[in-house]
Amino acid sequence: MSVHSARSGTGRKLVLLVPYLWLTFFFLIPFLIVLKISLSDDVTAQPPYVPVLDFSRGFEGVRGTIAALDFENYRLVLGDSLYLDSYLQSLLIAAVSTFILLLIGYPVAYAMTRAPLGWRPILLMLVILPFWTSFLIRVYAWMGILARDGLLNQALIGLRVIDEPLEILATNGAVILGIVYSYLPFMVLPLYAALEKQDHSLLEAAADLGSPPWKSFWQVTVPLSKPGIVAGCLLCFIPAVGEFVIPDLLGGSDTLMIGKTLWTEFSSNRSWTVSSAIAVLLLMVLMIPILFYQRIQARNLEAR
Amino acid sequence: MDVQAGKQPKMLATARREFAPWKDKAASPLIRFERVSKRYGGVTAVDGVSLDIYPGEFFALLGPSGCGKTTLMRMLAGFEEPSEGRVWLAGRDLAGVPPYRRPVNMMFQSYALFPHMTVFDNVAFGLKQDGAPKGEIASTVAEMLKLVNLTGYERRKPDQLSGGQRQRVALARSLAKRPKVLLLDEPLAALDKKLRGQTQFELMDLQAKVGTTFLIVTHDQEEAMTVADRIAVMDHGRIAQVDTPADLYEKPATRYVAEFVGDVNLIEAKVVSRDANSVLMQSEAMSAPLRAICEGDVSPGQQVALALRPEKIRVTLRKPGEALENCVRGTVSDIAYLGDLSIYHVRLESGLILKAARPNITRFTEQPITWEDKVYLSWAPEAGVVLVK
Ligand SMILES: Nc1ncnc2c1ncn2[C@@H]1O[C@H](COP(=O)(O)OP(=O)(O)OP(=O)(O)O)[C@@H](O)[C@H]1O
Ligand SMILES: [Mg+2]
């Protein structure tokens, strides 16, 4: 018995090693490189920062490099309201978008689980269908729809709902719309998964005990779909904060999202060091909801 | 049946002897199914059922899988509307009343406990829906948990409980609102045989204590006979017979009921003649004429079946007296030794096999009957039941 469990124990450890190795090579090491660059100084050279790690001088060289690192870039980023505004606006836009996504995604997922069994695979396909077209093309299409003389304004004027074309493109509203449109499947799928496995007899039990359907929804359906809600919100919120393409194409010049700011810093200003510092800070900001999520999970496990 | 199972009904029987509201013309039923049918597309799940259940009864719906027991119960709970007919509860037509407004509670076969709530919140759920004050909820929940022996488990979640404990939480939850009727859909199906037997008696005790009308669904005839005051045997969506366990066993109305409840020998026969209280029959499979007490409406020439319970047939090596009726000869083809009794399979000359039970009174019989012995089977005219249907 113990021999067997010991053997399956090593097997399990080996399997667990795979994701750790993956994360080490494709996340941790690149991140350490970015972290190092963020602590360096800009120069006009190739690569455009100093100090460069110099292994030819051995241990002395590495120590010299580390001694030359400082938090100058972080001081700059944290001291400049442009960057802080970018962070705040990113968080705000991502939060509003996630909230709207939840408002739209929940009824969609709920309706899907109520659909006849035979329809569900088709409905799931329809949710995923937009992925078959390039994301970039779909966002460009929104530019065509939202532009001053775009489809939406033409239609509204044609229907005599408005006289003057609306200024939608190049606003934060357009960015939020773009995010909601693009991320909807990421909200719907985890919600669907959570709602679909719910036992229908629980709702019957609630009704039997005197709870009308709308109350059962809040007392049974929603609490039981909490893991789906959390997963969907995280899946949408985290990438939305760092989103670059959508604010770049649909946002205006006053749309300050951190992904866009980072891109400007990197490509126009050619400051690898400052953009690295922005990236590291962004990661730290995003750690907050993840840690929050983990605490909820830990508490749920404890309650068991 | 184990020892415990053998003892307890007697005890309860004394308390229940007088309880027979279905015989009382003045009593009004609590539940009335009035020619209720339920169809799903082409399938008729329940077919013209009329049934009265009285306050305080422990009533069982018994039948094989798919005969419509659950459907009938769900129409009372309000999860299904009848295609035809009416369901009455305490004199009120339930048509169109949603489940959350019906004063009946159900204990689900799967228990359907809310996994995200503690035992306390599960039991309190129904009370909270009615907006009962907090103190009252707490005291009722405590009372219910005490009733099912789960005091101290309030803070646990359902997945921290054993199967038997979960089942008791489900029971407490469905009783907490003090419903007029408690519906139990195969409540004990998930338990092992021993625990099931024990829980059956707990259920009976509980019912005696709270006085609620219990309607239980089961396909286990022993369970139904143990717990219920009356049993409705169902067959393909219809009620075959409604009676007390004893009457169901001793006076089955149809071949189906006779075969479904307990073990039986069914002998096809033709009526020869009848006098004031008995009929004389002749069967191709039997060498002797058959006589049975019968008050029913049968006439000579009619095809009937004689239902004979194995324990009512005597097995002897010598011919018992000079009896000409109800006595046939055969060969022992099989013996099943069950400890308390032995079942003899006796092949008659016609090839028909009759089952006869013999209690093993002494440890060693003087003349043990064994395989291939020629034996006589005999029974009294009161032993058999003449079945027309
Ligand atoms: N929702 C439904 N749609 C179609 N047919 C149904 C539905 N519910 C039940 N039936 C059919 O009605 C019949 C009676 O079903 P029911 O569940 O009442 O049987 P039951 O007596 O409770 O059986 P069991 O002992 O297996 O639980 C079955 O033939 C079943 O297939
Ligand atoms: Mg059933």
Side-chain angles (χ1 to χ4, degrees), chain A residues 202 204 207-209 219 304, chain B residues 74 105-106 159-160 177:
Chain A
L202 292 179
E204 285 191 343
D208 188 62
L209 292 165
Q219 295 186 105
R304 263 154 208 279
Chain B
R74 287 171 62 82
N105 283 140
M106 182 152 170
D159 59 3
Q160 295 170 303
K177 289 184 83 172

Side-chain angles (χ1 to χ4, degrees), chain B residues 81-93:
Chain B
E81 282 291 328
S83 313
E84 270 161 38
R86 287 162 189 279
V87 183
W88 302 82
L89 182 74
R92 176 165 161 232
D93 185 355

Side-chain angles (χ1 to χ4, degrees), chain B residues 62-302:
Chain B
L62 177 64
S65 188
C67 71
K69 308 179 294 287
T70 300
T71 309
L72 193 62
M73 180 174 271
R74 287 171 62 82
M75 285 192 281
L76 184 55
F79 301 128
E80 314 280 356
E81 282 291 328
S83 313
E84 270 161 38
R86 287 162 189 279
V87 183
W88 302 82
L89 182 74
R92 176 165 161 232
D93 185 355
L94 288 179
V97 181
Y100 53 89
R101 293 232 186 82
R102 297 190 181 198
V104 299
N105 283 140
M106 182 152 170
M107 182 183 156
F108 289 77
Q109 182 171 349
S110 59
Y111 307 150
L113 295 177
F114 304 120
H116 58 299
M117 293 183 196
T118 60
V119 167
F120 181 95
D121 288 333
N122 264 287
V123 178
F125 189 90
L127 302 163
K128 280 183 189 157
Q129 306 312 310
D130 294 350
K134 267 212 164 98
E136 193 187 312
I137 292 179
S139 65
T140 310
V141 172
E143 189 190 332
M144 288 301 142
L145 289 178
K146 192 166 160 236
L147 203 61
V148 297
N149 285 324
L150 277 181
T151 307
Y153 287 82
E154 288 84 353
R155 301 255 68 84
R156 297 248 194 130
K157 291 265 181 83
D159 59 3
Q160 295 170 303
L161 299 174
S162 74
Q165 289 167 339
R166 253 176 256 169
Q167 176 242 336
R168 300 216 293 276
V169 175
L171 191 59
R173 186 179 70 175
S174 52
L175 275 173
K177 289 184 83 172
R178 302 222 172 271
K180 286 208 173 87
V181 184
L182 179 67
L183 307 176
L184 305 127
D185 190 358
E186 313 222 4
L188 313 180
L191 304 182
D192 64 60
K193 196 169 156 56
K194 187 128 186 248
L195 194 56
R196 195 154 74 208
Q198 199 180 320
T199 315
Q200 283 165 7
F201 291 108
E202 283 176 12
L203 270 184
M204 293 164 70
D205 262 3
L206 200 67
Q207 200 252 353
K209 251 187 248 170
V210 296
T212 306
T213 308
F214 277 32
L215 176 57
I216 188 172
V217 159
T218 176
H219 56 240
D220 177 349
Q221 58 114 350
E222 209 176 289
E223 180 167 297
M225 302 202 41
T226 308
V227 299
D229 294 313
R230 278 197 306 158
I231 300 171
V233 180
M234 291 187 69
D235 177 22
H236 289 98
R238 295 167 197 261
I239 302 259
Q241 188 175 357
V242 183
D243 245 319
T244 60
D247 282 351
L248 217 49
Y249 188 79
E250 302 295 356
K251 299 176 198 160
T254 65
R255 292 179 171 93
Y256 174 81
V257 174
E259 284 196 298
F260 194 77
V261 179
D263 216 353
V264 76
N265 297 296
L266 280 184
I267 303 159
E268 295 298 330
K270 200 172 240 162
V271 177
V272 176
S273 68
R274 77 158 300 158
D275 55 29
N277 64 352
S278 72
V279 271
L280 191 67
M281 292 160 283
Q282 189 69 54
S283 170
E284 281 169 17
M286 312 288 265
S287 51
L290 312 169
R291 185 174 290 281
I293 303 292
C294 175
E295 265 113 45
D297 192 17
V298 291
S299 45
Q302 193 174 348

Side-chain angles (χ1 to χ4, degrees), chain A residues 258-282:
Chain A
I258 199 67
K260 218 174 120 187
T261 310
L262 191 151
W263 172 251
T264 314
E265 207 56 60
F266 187 79
S267 61
S268 311
N269 299 355
R270 270 189 68 78
S271 173
W272 287 31
T273 60
V274 173
S275 49
S276 295
I278 293 174
V280 172
L281 283 174
L282 177 62

